[in-house]
């Protein structure tokens, strides 16, 4: 299958990723429900990686992670490594194990979101607070945020599926 290069699709993809990171860190477009926020980069990266190669997913995850790390305090490189691994994992899994349908994207998005928030908890919260506070963080923020972030895959799945069709024509 020959894929065409569409500069407009590339520009729109970059714009989608950039705006999701911008809105998350500036609170310009607030998707919080009861203190739970959706990290839109995760479902966008999942949808992107489902329809692209592992190499493209690797570099996209790396770029998004570097941008996120530049906006956050803490360990520089944490998001870059995690998003890079997530991109490659989703690309390989969707190409070899799952079908590229909406149900598979929901499952992958939930797994990816849960993995991200649990890793964030392990690296930034476990050593700093008590066991009770760790449990509260997991049950009141990490798990609901993973579910809430995964729901947004529905929108981005259809956007990137359409982009994939345009590139394949």
């Amino acid at each position: 299958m020959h894929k065409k290069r569409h500069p407009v699709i590339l520009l729109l993809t970059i714009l989608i990723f950039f705006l999701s990171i911008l809105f998350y860190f500036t609170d310009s477009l607030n998707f919080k429900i009861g203190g739970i926020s959706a990290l839109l980069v995760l479902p966008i990266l999942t949808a992107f990686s489902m329809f692209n190669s592992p190499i493209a997913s690797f570099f996209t995850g790396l770029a998004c992670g570097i941008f996120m790390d530049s906006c956050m305090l803490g360990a520089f490189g944490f998001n870059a490594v995690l998003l890079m691994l997530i991109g490659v994992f989703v690309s390989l899994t969707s190409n070899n194990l799952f079908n590229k349908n909406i149900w598979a994207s929901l499952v992958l998005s939930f797994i990816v979101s849960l993995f991200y928030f649990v890793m964030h908890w392990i690296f930034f919260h476990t050593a700093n607070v008590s066991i009770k506070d760790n449990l509260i963080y997991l049950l009141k923020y990490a798990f609901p945020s993973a579910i809430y972030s995964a729901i947004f895959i529905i929108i981005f799945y259809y956007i990137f599926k359409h982009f994939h069709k345009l590139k394949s024509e």
Side-chain angles (χ1 to χ4, degrees):
M1 176 184 345
H2 184 286
K3 290 188 176 183
K4 295 180 182 177
R5 295 186 186 265
H6 284 280
V8 174
I9 292 175
L10 177 64
L11 182 65
L12 287 173
T13 302
I14 291 170
L15 188 64
I16 289 170
F17 278 109
F18 177 73
L19 289 176
S20 70
I21 293 170
L22 181 74
F23 289 150
Y24 182 75
F25 287 107
T26 61
D27 288 332
S28 300
L29 188 60
N30 199 347
F31 288 115
K32 288 187 179 180
I33 296 177
I36 299 167
S37 61
L39 183 56
L40 292 180
V41 174
L42 296 174
I44 294 170
L45 183 61
T46 303
F48 175 85
S49 298
M50 285 186 76
F51 297 105
N52 286 287
S53 69
I55 294 171
S57 302
F58 174 90
F59 286 113
T60 303
L62 181 64
C64 289
I66 289 171
F67 285 132
M68 286 179 65
D69 284 333
S70 67
C71 298
M72 295 178 71
L73 294 175
F76 189 79
F78 174 78
N79 289 308
V81 170
L82 272 184
L83 292 181
M84 178 182 60
L85 291 173
I86 285 170
V88 171
F89 169 76
V90 170
S91 182
L92 290 173
T93 306
S94 66
N95 289 330
N96 299 320
L97 188 61
F98 283 110
N99 293 327
K100 294 179 182 178
N101 58 29
I102 191 69
W103 297 109
S105 68
L106 277 167
V107 169
L108 282 172
S109 184
F110 176 71
I111 290 169
V112 160
S113 298
L114 189 62
F115 174 72
Y116 178 85
F117 286 108
V118 167
M119 294 304 286
H120 191 271
W121 167 71
I122 289 171
F123 281 97
F124 296 111
H125 295 282
T126 53
N128 298 334
V129 294
S130 67
I131 293 174
K132 179 183 173 189
D133 290 337
N134 276 318
L135 188 61
I136 288 171
Y137 175 82
L138 278 177
L139 295 177
K140 287 194 171 186
Y141 182 75
F143 293 141
S145 291
I147 294 168
Y148 188 41
S149 294
I151 291 171
F152 283 96
I153 189 71
I154 297 168
I155 299 164
F156 298 113
Y157 170 81
Y158 287 111
I159 290 172
F160 285 104
K161 183 177 180 180
H162 181 68
F163 287 172
H164 180 69
K165 280 184 185 178
L166 290 175
K167 286 194 279 186
S168 297
E169 290 176 348

